[in-house]
């Protein structure tokens, strides 16, 4: 299947929006007193890409966002952590979406938790100690909470988009 120019352009726009959201998250520090907890507003664009376009486009948008925002805002380690979380999260969301058993919000919540899991795995590898997983229950809660908010927003946006992309 040849990708349409309109879908490619839409993916480019979504990537730009995701980068803007990443920048906003850098500018407006969200500090709940818990290190590593972020709103993940750029993930809103990934969920929309997944549901409105498909998994391949969502992967492209996610990878471009991770690398560009990593080079601009967080450096190599930021890219490594984001890749681990973003790719594992997207894989989980694609699989859950295919089952048709979960809502957009449910898929987003699972994605939030699995994103944190991916980052914890990288942390354990880099530190060389699995004791970092003691912190994981806190990240499960934050992943569910942020995934819920992002999922509700994505659902509301998807309802307002035309039924088929260009």
């Amino acid at each position: 299947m040849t990708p349409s120019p309109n879908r490619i352009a839409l993916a480019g726009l979504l990537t730009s929006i995701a980068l803007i959201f990443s920048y906003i998250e850098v500018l407006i520090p969200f500090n709940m007193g818990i290190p590593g907890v972020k709103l993940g507003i750029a993930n809103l664009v990934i969920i929309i890409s997944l549901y409105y376009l498909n998994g391949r486009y969502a992967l492209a948008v996610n990878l471009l966002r991770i690398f560009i925002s990593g080079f601009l805002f967080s450096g190599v380690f930021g890219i490594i952590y984001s890749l681990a979380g973003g790719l594992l999260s997207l894989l989980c969301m694609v699989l859950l979406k295919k089952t048709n058993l979960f809502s957009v919000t449910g898929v987003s919540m699972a994605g939030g938790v699995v994103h944190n899991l991916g980052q914890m795995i990288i942390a354990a590898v880099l530190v060389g100690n699995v004791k970092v997983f003691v912190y994981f229950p806190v990240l499960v809660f934050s992943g569910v909470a942020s995934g819920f908010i992002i999922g509700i927003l994505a659902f509301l946006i998807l309802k307002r988009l035309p039924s088929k992309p260009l």
Side-chain angles (χ1 to χ4, degrees):
M1 180 171 96
T2 305
S4 76
N6 290 337
R7 283 179 171 247
I8 293 170
L10 181 56
L13 291 171
L14 289 169
T15 302
S16 299
I17 294 168
L19 284 167
I20 291 167
F21 285 170
S22 294
Y23 184 58
I24 289 170
E25 208 158 31
V26 169
L27 288 178
I28 304 170
F30 177 73
N31 187 357
M32 293 181 34
I34 305 168
V37 173
K38 292 173 39 177
L39 288 175
I41 56 177
N43 293 327
L44 173 62
V45 178
I46 306 307
I47 295 283
I48 290 169
S49 299
L50 175 62
Y51 276 86
Y52 197 61
L53 296 171
N54 63 35
R56 282 190 218 165
Y57 284 98
L59 176 63
V61 170
N62 205 15
L63 286 173
L64 285 167
R65 180 198 61 87
I66 288 168
F67 280 105
I68 295 170
S69 68
F71 286 125
L72 290 173
F73 312 126
S74 62
V76 175
F77 282 106
I79 293 171
I80 292 169
Y81 279 102
S82 292
L83 269 176
L87 293 178
L88 194 59
S89 171
L90 184 60
L91 175 64
C92 171
M93 292 189 298
V94 166
L95 293 174
L96 290 179
K97 180 184 178 282
K98 282 186 179 190
T99 68
N100 291 320
L101 297 173
F102 299 91
S103 67
V104 173
T105 304
V107 169
S108 177
M109 290 167 61
V113 172
V114 173
H115 188 279
N116 289 338
L117 174 63
Q119 292 187 330
M120 290 300 295
I121 291 169
I122 290 298
V125 168
L126 290 176
V127 173
N129 193 336
V130 295
K131 290 183 181 179
V132 297
F133 281 98
V134 169
Y135 188 57
F136 188 60
V138 172
L139 293 179
V140 167
F141 177 75
S142 74
V144 167
S146 65
F148 179 76
I149 294 166
I150 297 299
I152 293 292
L153 290 172
F155 173 76
L156 294 172
I157 292 168
L158 286 164
K159 273 183 21 177
R160 287 164 178 78
L161 291 176
S163 61
K164 289 187 177 195
L166 307 169

